[in-house]
Amino acid sequence: MATYRIVLWAWCVCAIAVSAFAQPPASQGPPPPPPQGGQARAPMTPPPQRSLLRIFLDCDRCDGEFLRTEVAFVDYMRDRTDADVHVLVTTESTGGGGTLWTLKFIGQNTYAGHEHIVTFTTPQTATADVQRKEMARILKIGLVAYAAGTPAISSLNVTYTKPAESAAVEKKKDPWNYWVFRLNMNGNLNGEELSSYKSYRFNSSANRTTENWKMGLSASRNENRNAYDLGDGEIFKSRSSSWSADGLLVKSAGPRFSVGMRANASGSTYANQDLVLNVLPTVEFDVFPYKENARRALTFSYAAGLQTANYAAETIYGKLTEALPRQRLSTGLSLRQPWGSIYTSVSFTQQLNKLDRTNLGFFGEADVRLFRGFSFNVMGDYSRIRDQISLQKGDASTEDVLLRLRQLHSGYSYYIGFGVSYSFGSIFNTIVNPRFNNGG
């Protein structure tokens, strides 16, 4: 017992000594407090005994290896809690089909309270290389103010390319009047000795976006064909197809309010639909201004209109055609913050002449950093279905069920996916080594 006490006492003395030597000198003092109210901000003094600024790059669309190579006057941290600056990057689509990038620089630790935002736009035609080079240029500009107090400042230079004096000052007239058109077609073929599969897809769209108006037209078609050799010369073939055309017209009615119209026409062999047409006038309100949509949004919308339907075969209600008044209520919450992102929505659709025919849907996804090195992500949806009015009358064959050629009755549907990740070890994430990255 005496030996145990001596060992315990020795461990305590060692722990106290190590703790004492690990503390910074008293002359350095605590880090300056963050600014409050109208007080002047504390100077951005880098942490003691560090050569480079530490940053955490929070960007889903960035080329991390390229940025770590091109922006080398900082250290990249694996976890945001170890960083001096958290760089939160969000993106939004522009009316011309390009991308608006927003970089929010959030000071932490001794830089707490020092925040600023930088934005830039890349056009629709910009390649991935052009986008990542522009991202690197803007990232450097945003970090210079933080790195000014570090030893890296001795190796930094600022260059400026003066525009030519003859450069046009007036904005050129857009010959397309803000309209952007897209066409896309793709397909795939695969098979084995006894089976084959073919799929074709076509998409097109035309969009026009200004400060006051948003207009959009789109169309798509899908074709799937299968063939199976069942032996003895028997070949089983199946075919399914679907198509849709959508129209949208939205008028801005203030920083939080908008009104518009949605129209949709569609057909599906799986859903027993030759032609289903929906016309729904809609209003929407956002609790937060639309200009903050990249970071946060809480919307409420209501739509009411008419649905007409022509069915490929007689339905379980004995219908080949019908016209139905419908309404839809929905709400959605979207957040993108330093701790992660969350999106959730609830929608309720009802047939107004048959109030018991409803569809209640829930959707949610989240990617959250719960604590140091540990993150959790989940995505799921659930629908309570009471409005399957297009179901084909009669029993489905075994082939229809196994190959999903025909929609079956269901009171609900759901999906859920989740994952967790935990990392530990070195706090640095700066070194780039691309060897064997391409299957070598």
Side-chain angles (χ1 to χ4, degrees):
M1 181 62 71
T3 302
Y4 170 78
R5 290 179 178 175
I6 293 173
V7 172
L8 180 61
W9 179 83
W11 273 107
C12 292
V13 171
C14 291
I16 294 172
V18 171
S19 176
F21 280 107
Q23 298 297 322
S27 60
Q28 293 178 347
Q36 297 180 357
Q39 296 179 4
R41 288 184 174 181
M44 291 196 293
T45 305
Q49 300 178 348
R50 286 197 194 159
S51 58
L52 297 177
L53 180 76
R54 294 181 173 183
I55 75 166
F56 176 72
L57 183 61
D58 191 355
C59 179
D60 295 331
R61 295 187 56 179
C62 296
D63 187 336
E65 288 192 2
F66 178 82
L67 293 177
R68 290 195 293 272
T69 302
E70 294 296 310
V71 188
F73 60 90
V74 297
D75 273 332
Y76 294 83
M77 297 293 101
R78 185 175 49 79
D79 192 276
R80 70 184 182 94
T81 57
D82 294 312
D84 302 316
V85 181
H86 182 159
V87 185
L88 178 62
V89 183
T90 57
T91 59
E92 287 185 281
S93 297
T94 66
T99 304
L100 172 65
W101 302 72
T102 301
L103 284 69
K104 183 170 184 179
F105 296 83
I106 306 170
Q108 301 183 156
N109 303 321
T110 57
Y111 296 93
H114 296 276
E115 300 183 3
H116 65 276
I117 295 176
V118 182
T119 63
F120 69 96
T121 303
T122 54
Q124 177 190 0
T125 55
T127 63
D129 185 58
V130 170
Q131 290 183 350
R132 68 181 186 174
K133 286 180 178 178
E134 184 65 4
M135 177 68 190
R137 187 181 74 85
I138 299 299
L139 182 61
K140 290 176 184 177
I141 294 173
L143 290 174
V144 165
Y146 298 96
T150 69
I153 195 66
S154 62
S155 301
L156 285 174
N157 290 297
V158 176
T159 60
Y160 173 69
T161 303
K162 186 177 180 179
E165 294 182 359
S166 59
V169 177
E170 295 183 0
K171 187 176 181 180
K172 294 182 179 180
K173 184 178 179 180
D174 183 0
W176 294 98
N177 195 24
Y178 298 103
W179 281 98
V180 177
F181 302 89
R182 296 184 181 89
L183 296 173
N184 175 264
M185 183 173 65
N186 57 69
N188 58 74
L189 309 173
N190 62 70
E192 299 175 346
E193 184 177 355
L194 300 179
S195 64
S196 64
Y197 172 78
K198 302 175 183 178
S199 176
Y200 309 96
R201 292 170 295 278
F202 173 78
N203 300 277
S204 63
S205 66
N207 297 280
R208 183 178 187 269
T209 304
T210 65
E211 292 292 335
N212 295 317
W213 289 93
K214 184 176 182 180
M215 308 175 192
L217 298 170
S218 63
S220 66
R221 183 176 181 86
N222 298 321
E223 289 279 346
N224 298 289
R225 300 179 183 181
N226 299 274
Y228 303 91
D229 187 345
L230 303 180
D232 298 329
E234 183 180 0
I235 305 295
F236 177 81
K237 296 182 178 181
S238 68
R239 173 181 175 273
S240 63
S241 64
S242 63
W243 64 273
S244 67
D246 298 273
L248 175 69
L249 178 65
V250 180
K251 176 67 171 67
S252 301
R256 293 181 171 87
F257 191 71
S258 58
V259 295
M261 174 84 71
R262 290 183 182 273
N264 167 267
S266 63
S268 169
T269 57
Y270 174 74
N272 187 36
Q273 298 171 342
D274 270 346
L275 171 62
V276 175
L277 177 64
N278 289 280
V279 179
L280 298 172
T282 306
V283 295
E284 181 184 79
F285 174 76
D286 195 341
V287 174
F288 305 107
Y290 282 115
K291 65 181 181 180
E292 300 179 14
N293 188 261
R295 293 290 305 278
R296 58 179 184 172
L298 176 58
T299 59
F300 299 89
S301 67
Y302 175 76
L306 185 68
Q307 178 187 86
T308 61
N310 295 330
Y311 304 113
E314 187 178 351
T315 70
I316 57 176
Y317 296 103
K319 300 287 187 179
L320 284 174
T321 63
E322 58 183 332
L324 311 168
R326 299 173 69 84
Q327 68 175 353
R328 176 184 174 89
L329 298 92
S330 62
T331 181
L333 172 66
S334 175
L335 296 173
R336 177 76 190 277
Q337 300 294 329
W339 44 260
S341 61
I342 289 178
Y343 175 75
T344 181
S345 66
V346 181
S347 63
F348 175 77
T349 305
Q350 185 178 42
Q351 186 175 320
L352 292 175
N353 62 335
K354 296 283 186 179
L355 298 181
D356 58 330
R357 295 181 182 177
T358 61
N359 190 304
L360 179 62
F362 302 88
F363 175 82
E365 61 179 349
D367 189 346
V368 181
R369 304 179 186 98
L370 296 179
F371 53 87
R372 182 185 181 88
F374 185 89
S375 63
F376 172 76
N377 63 81
V378 61
M379 180 177 69
D381 64 65
Y382 174 84
S383 294
R384 178 182 177 273
I385 305 169
R386 299 292 187 271
D387 61 349
Q388 288 183 297
I389 59 175
S390 65
L391 292 178
Q392 184 177 339
K393 186 177 182 179
D395 296 330
S397 67
T398 302
E399 292 82 2
D400 290 339
V401 175
L402 295 180
L403 298 177
R404 293 186 60 82
L405 300 176
R406 176 172 164 179
Q407 190 176 34
L408 303 177
H409 172 75
S410 177
Y412 64 90
S413 66
Y414 68 91
Y415 167 82
I416 186 169
F418 62 89
V420 297
S421 66
Y422 179 61
S423 60
F424 54 92
S426 173
I427 64 175
F428 295 97
N429 189 33
T430 302
I431 298 174
V432 176
N433 188 337
R435 294 166 180 81
F436 279 47
N437 275 2
N438 299 314

